[in-house]
Amino acid sequence: MSDDEASGAPDVAARLELVRGRLAAAEASAGRPPGSVRLVAVSKRHPPEAMRAAYAAGQRDFGENYVQELLAKREALADLPGLRLHLIGNLQSNKAKLVAGRVALVHAVDDEHLARELGRRAASAGARQAVLVQVNVAGEAQKHGCAPSELEAVLAAVEAEPSLWLRGLMVIPPLSDDPEAARPFFAGLRSLRNLHGGAARLPELSMGMSHDLEAAVAEGATMVRVGTAIFGERA
Ligand SMILES: *Cc1c(COP(=O)(O)O)cnc(C)c1O
């Protein structure tokens, strides 16, 4: 077996190609320009070698859920120019110092305290940290994300930090096998964007995963977070 086969590289490149095809088809059927949706390849619990294979196939944006894993991969892949790591998972404020200024985008800021802490840490790192605010659109108990009623306060807290750069909103809909079940929550995020300043204030909508990216693109996603469809099942 070659090194490529051992790392699953041909597989990753082929799967990535399929996902790009789905994305292009979804953009076309939504009447959106080709390339208007950024693909974030979610590499959590897959080894850096799998990320290298995706990188070799042209992928640059990668999403990670866990801070320690993200930082380890950042080290392991430090030789890859233009690599952009996104923290897509929940961030505890005591870990804000570890990520501030080290990631392309933090997707899940969801309260004022975290915004202030991340802003403070970005300032001391001399960085301007791009962030999204995660909204619990479905109002699920014990889920991360701010309530829609708290959104304005969290947005204002981000904007009050000179070292944070507010880029948009993110949602994780309730788990379902039916891709169409997520659509109302994607539409809900878009409505919240419209209520809170529109695309001028909130240009990015991070929504859609492996099984429901088409519905997300139809509802206006500017970024989809796709793991399994690119890297296969997680261990
Ligand atoms: C794991 C994860 C994804 C990717 O999910 P897949 O179903 O593997 O595509 C996307 N977003 C978040 C927040 C995740 O935790």
Side-chain angles (χ1 to χ4, degrees), residues 6 47 82 107 109-110 115 123 126 134 138 180 200 211 220-221 228-229:
H107 285 234
V109 171
D110 63 358
Q134 183 183 355
E180 282 301 311
H211 70 299
T228 312

Side-chain angles (χ1 to χ4, degrees), residues 42 44 65 88 172 209-210 225-228 234:
V42 177
K44 64 182 175 209
N65 284 57
I88 63 171
I172 306 175
M209 312 197 240
S210 290
R225 310 177 307 265
V226 178
T228 312
R234 290 176 284 271

Side-chain angles (χ1 to χ4, degrees), residues 40-46 63-66 87-90 107-108 134 170-172 175 206 208-212 224-234:
V40 179
V42 177
S43 42
K44 64 182 175 209
R45 288 191 266 141
H46 289 283
E64 290 286 336
N65 284 57
Y66 310 102
L87 180 65
I88 63 171
N90 174 53
H107 285 234
Q134 183 183 355
M170 182 266 215
V171 68
I172 306 175
L175 275 180
S206 168
M209 312 197 240
S210 290
H211 70 299
D212 57 14
V224 292
R225 310 177 307 265
V226 178
T228 312
I230 297 171
F231 295 109
E233 295 295 334
R234 290 176 284 271

Side-chain angles (χ1 to χ4, degrees), residues 93-94 96-97 112-122:
S93 54
N94 63 359
K97 61 176 180 293
E112 297 171 62
H113 173 69
L114 174 60
R116 283 192 292 271
E117 181 62 11
L118 195 58
R120 195 165 74 82
R121 297 298 185 168

Side-chain angles (χ1 to χ4, degrees), residues 44-114:
K44 64 182 175 209
R45 288 191 266 141
H46 289 283
E49 295 68 46
M51 298 166 74
R52 283 186 188 276
Y55 181 95
Q59 181 64 28
R60 292 294 178 270
D61 292 88
F62 293 87
E64 290 286 336
N65 284 57
Y66 310 102
V67 171
Q68 297 303 339
E69 185 177 351
L70 181 151
L71 294 175
K73 286 173 171 170
R74 186 170 177 270
E75 281 284 311
L77 302 173
D79 59 308
L80 300 181
L83 187 76
R84 286 187 292 271
L85 294 175
H86 299 235
L87 180 65
I88 63 171
N90 174 53
L91 175 62
Q92 289 170 314
S93 54
N94 63 359
K95 295 197 174 155
K97 61 176 180 293
L98 299 174
V99 298
R102 295 200 175 118
V103 298
L105 183 61
V106 176
H107 285 234
V109 171
D110 63 358
D111 71 40
E112 297 171 62
H113 173 69
L114 174 60

